[in-house]
Amino acid sequence: MNALNDSVITEFRANGGVVTEAMGGHFRNSTLALVHHVGRRTGTRRVQPVLCMADGGHYVLIGSNGGAAEEPSWVGNLEAMSETTLELGALSFPVKPTVLRDGDERERLYAAYTAFWPDITDYEKNTDRTFPVVLLEPLA
């Protein structure tokens, strides 16, 4: 984990999921979650802070990587997992991840996410790749 993520995770856990200071306040007034994943090649357990949107009883993440040319590694890690853990606010619960790379459901969720976090459209300008949508279905 890097120092930037560490500061977000520390503030998230200390304040029941509220992050107002980390990254210069960039995530103030946004819904963050911590998604747990295991490295496909290393087997290393990791925790990734991500913006998270609710959709009915599910949760949605976008693998934008800030518009970098490569996809964030946590997307592929989740794609290889049948179950993982999501921390949302003060709650922690098991979820089933599904990575959507195309199709009507991906398009619907992506459109909803851009309304939720409009900065995604700025990230798109930095790359030619299509951002994957990760749907998390609570198991408990």
Side-chain angles (χ1 to χ4, degrees):
M1 212 175 318
N2 64 40
L4 185 60
N5 283 351
D6 287 345
S7 69
V8 173
I9 291 166
T10 298
E11 187 177 357
F12 180 100
R13 288 180 171 158
N15 298 311
V18 176
V19 177
T20 60
E21 301 302 320
M23 291 187 63
H26 183 71
F27 294 117
R28 186 175 290 124
N29 300 321
S30 61
T31 304
L32 282 182
L34 303 180
V35 65
H36 296 239
H37 58 103
V38 177
R40 297 177 309 268
R41 292 183 271 280
T42 65
T44 303
R45 293 187 176 280
R46 302 179 191 279
V47 177
Q48 180 69 41
V50 290
L51 286 162
C52 182
M53 178 189 82
D55 181 69
H58 297 79
Y59 300 94
V60 179
L61 317 174
I62 299 290
S64 69
N65 205 15
E70 63 282 336
E71 183 174 284
S73 61
W74 58 263
V75 172
N77 292 343
L78 290 175
E79 196 165 31
M81 300 175 72
S82 60
E83 183 177 327
T84 192
T85 301
L86 184 69
E87 292 180 55
L88 190 61
L91 301 175
S92 180
F93 50 94
V95 293
K96 175 188 174 197
T98 302
V99 177
L100 305 171
R101 297 185 180 280
D102 54 32
D104 292 343
E105 182 68 353
R106 185 229 172 255
E107 296 305 315
R108 180 188 75 78
L109 292 170
Y110 193 78
Y113 199 96
T114 58
F116 167 76
W117 186 257
D119 289 2
I120 286 291
T121 57
D122 290 331
Y123 301 162
E124 286 177 320
K125 296 172 187 173
N126 297 324
T127 187
D128 292 330
R129 72 180 174 85
T130 300
F131 298 154
V133 172
V134 180
L135 185 63
L136 301 173
E137 176 185 352
L139 296 174

